[in-house]
Amino acid sequence: MIKKNEENPGSELPKVNAAPAVDLAAWLEELPPTMAQAQLLALALPRRTETFSYLQPNMQLALARRLDRRDLVEIVTQMSADDRADLFNHLTPEEQQRLLRGLAREEREDIRRLSAYAEGTAGAIMTSDYATLAADMTAHEAIELLRRKAPEKETIYRSYILDCERRLIGSIRLHELILAAADTRIEEIMDHAPVSVALDSDQEKVAQLIARYDLLALPVVDKGGRLVGIVTHDDAADAMQAETTEDFQKIATVRPFSQSVREASMGVLYRKRIFWLVLLVFGNLFSGAGIAFFEETILAYVSLVFFLPLLIDSSGNAGSQSATLMVRALATGDVALKDWRNLILRELLIALALGATMALVVFPVGLLRGGSEIALVVGLTMLLVVIIGSLAGMSLPFLLSRLRLDPATASAPLVTTISDAVGVLVYFWIATAMLSL
């Protein structure tokens, strides 16, 4: 890492040439914008472009707006196709036109095409910098061609074989070319059924396929089977990280936002959090209504109030556990909608065991606080609310998936609110029925 010189940040420049570009980018982000711009422009163009690519999106955007068009065009031209498309999408329409006017025709068409795909799809995270070969080439000819293409391609570790209409008909790894005899034809050693995805495939599915088949890159094809780009493993990892961050935000009942927490304004954080908090307030009113309905029972047996927080919290905690496990399992593909029937039965048995154990723990406390009758009420309620909470927490993600909604919406606070309302009704219904006898 580059150590920051607080008194004279510019004195670090001689040291940055030996630093990894990712560390240099982190160092620039700590500088004031004016100084960061000066330090960036002091670098050689290849080094400047590589460093710029590692900057956070907000820093890239800030520098892009400060740089002269000529300097910005030089950087954007050297950037990988997917990175410059990402930057382009963050610019205002006026800034986009300003940039496009300085680019060569090939870069203009490429950036317009890549930036047109819907966010969150394979098309939005793919790059057009891929290597292609002809099926009738020899291994020697292919290696010579890749040697010439390497500097301008995202990766050459896997090349793609296309027919005369650019349909994907195969792929081949670099080490297979190196190990093959010089006169071996590509069609003899290539993979004739490469894994691929459609342009509109969800980026989460793309990342799962790359992980499942252990690929460095995944080809993206249009409806006619023509190759239009590739998604590299690092871009898929970035997309997966963004998906995971979004899931965590939804699990916390926060509306998703793209900025980091440190960079998000107070207004953004307020707007993203207030909706669900207000909605859950109305959900909690059901718990209050349940308590009011059983007011006579509560007045007759005040000791019941002591156990109310314990019981509804236990139901919510059990539901949150189940919901979190299912949301993650659905996101990773570990389970699917068809598994619901088997999982619900297994969850019922697990919830029975959990509820019985917790009932045994709380039963002696009930004896001490209210006697045997209160202990029976509390123990039976604990068993039932843990079962209800667990089944609700497991089922909600499946229900949302069936409705084509994000399972992460079945978040811990939502499940807890439902479990609380149901728990209050179950508790006082059992108390009223048993104690009145």
Side-chain angles (χ1 to χ4, degrees):
M1 291 291 292
I2 300 172
K3 294 184 178 180
K4 184 178 177 182
N5 187 329
E6 299 289 349
E7 296 182 359
N8 185 15
S11 65
E12 302 295 340
L13 186 58
K15 301 178 183 179
V16 302
N17 290 323
V22 63
D23 291 339
L24 176 53
W27 175 65
L28 290 178
E29 288 175 349
E30 297 296 322
L31 300 179
T34 303
M35 189 170 292
Q37 177 185 355
Q39 298 286 24
L40 181 68
L41 292 177
L43 300 171
L45 182 57
R47 179 78 161 157
R48 187 188 313 165
T49 302
E50 184 183 12
T51 302
F52 187 86
S53 297
Y54 278 113
L55 293 171
Q56 293 297 319
N58 67 301
M59 188 64 171
Q60 285 188 352
L61 194 58
L63 288 176
R65 288 169 173 166
R66 299 181 65 89
L67 291 169
D68 292 336
R69 188 173 72 174
R70 181 178 60 82
D71 294 327
L72 178 60
V73 166
E74 285 182 344
I75 292 175
V76 170
T77 302
Q78 296 291 321
M79 291 173 71
S80 62
D82 54 330
D83 288 340
R84 66 188 175 210
D86 289 340
L87 173 62
F88 183 81
N89 283 332
H90 285 93
L91 298 173
T92 64
E94 294 78 13
E95 291 166 342
Q96 290 176 349
Q97 291 304 316
R98 170 177 170 263
L99 173 61
L100 289 174
R101 284 194 295 269
L103 294 174
R105 179 180 177 183
E106 184 179 352
E107 279 79 19
R108 282 202 307 269
E109 293 177 353
D110 187 64
I111 203 170
R112 280 173 170 155
R113 181 171 59 86
L114 290 179
S115 61
Y117 298 112
E119 197 70 26
T121 63
I125 60 173
M126 73 180 183
T127 177
S128 55
D129 294 333
Y130 52 85
T132 61
L133 300 171
D136 58 353
M137 275 184 170
T138 64
H140 174 74
E141 291 171 339
I143 291 172
E144 289 300 316
L145 180 61
L146 292 176
R147 183 179 285 115
R148 295 194 299 271
K149 286 185 174 183
E152 59 191 55
K153 300 303 178 185
E154 182 92 4
T155 177
I156 60 167
Y157 293 108
R158 184 178 286 272
S159 301
Y160 302 94
I161 293 83
L162 311 179
D163 64 13
C164 59
E165 296 183 0
R166 295 193 58 79
R167 286 192 294 263
L168 181 65
I169 59 173
S171 68
I172 189 167
R173 291 178 291 178
L174 181 61
H175 86 269
E176 291 172 328
L177 289 173
I178 295 173
L179 294 176
D183 59 348
T184 304
R185 298 282 179 184
I186 299 298
E187 60 188 350
E188 298 175 16
I189 55 175
M190 71 181 188
D191 177 5
H192 290 268
V195 180
S196 64
V197 291
L199 275 165
D200 58 353
S201 296
D202 188 88
Q203 63 181 15
E204 195 168 1
K205 176 187 175 183
V206 174
Q208 290 171 355
L209 287 174
I210 287 177
R212 179 177 180 179
Y213 293 101
D214 196 20
L215 300 173
L216 289 175
L218 184 66
V220 182
V221 297
D222 63 14
K223 292 181 179 179
R226 291 177 290 271
L227 182 64
V228 290
I230 61 170
V231 178
T232 56
H233 67 96
D234 55 330
D235 290 327
D238 290 341
M240 200 65 182
Q241 183 179 20
E243 291 280 355
T244 303
T245 299
E246 183 177 311
D247 284 348
F248 271 105
Q249 290 169 347
K250 289 181 177 178
I251 286 172
T253 58
V254 175
R255 285 182 161 184
F257 58 96
S258 57
Q259 306 103 310
S260 69
V261 174
R262 184 179 64 178
E263 295 159 358
S265 67
M266 293 174 62
V268 168
L269 292 176
Y270 169 82
R271 290 194 302 272
K272 297 300 182 180
R273 296 171 65 179
I274 191 62
F275 173 79
W276 273 105
L277 288 177
V278 171
L279 192 63
L280 292 174
V281 165
F282 289 101
N284 287 322
L285 290 177
F286 287 102
S287 299
I291 293 174
F293 184 79
F294 291 101
E295 187 175 354
E296 293 183 4
T297 301
I298 295 172
L299 291 175
Y301 302 93
V302 179
S303 58
L304 291 172
V305 177
F306 175 82
F307 297 97
L308 181 59
L310 169 67
L311 293 170
I312 62 176
D313 282 354
S314 296
S315 176
N317 291 339
S320 297
Q321 285 183 339
S322 297
T324 302
L325 289 173
M326 288 303 109
V327 167
R328 188 57 186 161
L330 285 166
T332 59
D334 186 35
V335 299
L337 285 174
K338 61 183 177 62
D339 299 317
W340 181 82
R341 190 182 302 274
N342 293 331
L343 290 174
I344 195 73
L345 178 60
R346 191 177 70 167
E347 185 66 20
L348 175 60
L349 296 176
I350 295 171
L352 276 169
L354 294 172
T357 303
M358 296 173 73
L360 289 174
V361 171
V362 78
F363 188 83
V365 182
L367 285 174
L368 291 174
R369 292 287 303 184
S372 59
E373 291 180 330
I374 297 295
L376 284 171
V377 169
V378 172
L380 181 58
T381 302
M382 178 65 81
L383 175 65
L384 290 178
V385 297
V386 168
I387 292 174
I388 293 169
S390 298
L391 295 182
M394 199 217 75
S395 300
L396 272 176
F398 282 98
L399 176 62
L400 291 170
S401 293
R402 172 71 70 179
L403 298 175
R404 299 190 181 279
L405 299 173
D406 193 333
T409 308
S411 55
L414 179 59
V415 171
T416 299
T417 301
I418 294 172
S419 299
D420 286 355
V422 175
V424 167
L425 295 175
V426 170
Y427 180 36
F428 289 117
W429 178 78
I430 291 175
T432 301
M434 293 185 66
L435 297 177
S436 64
L437 295 176

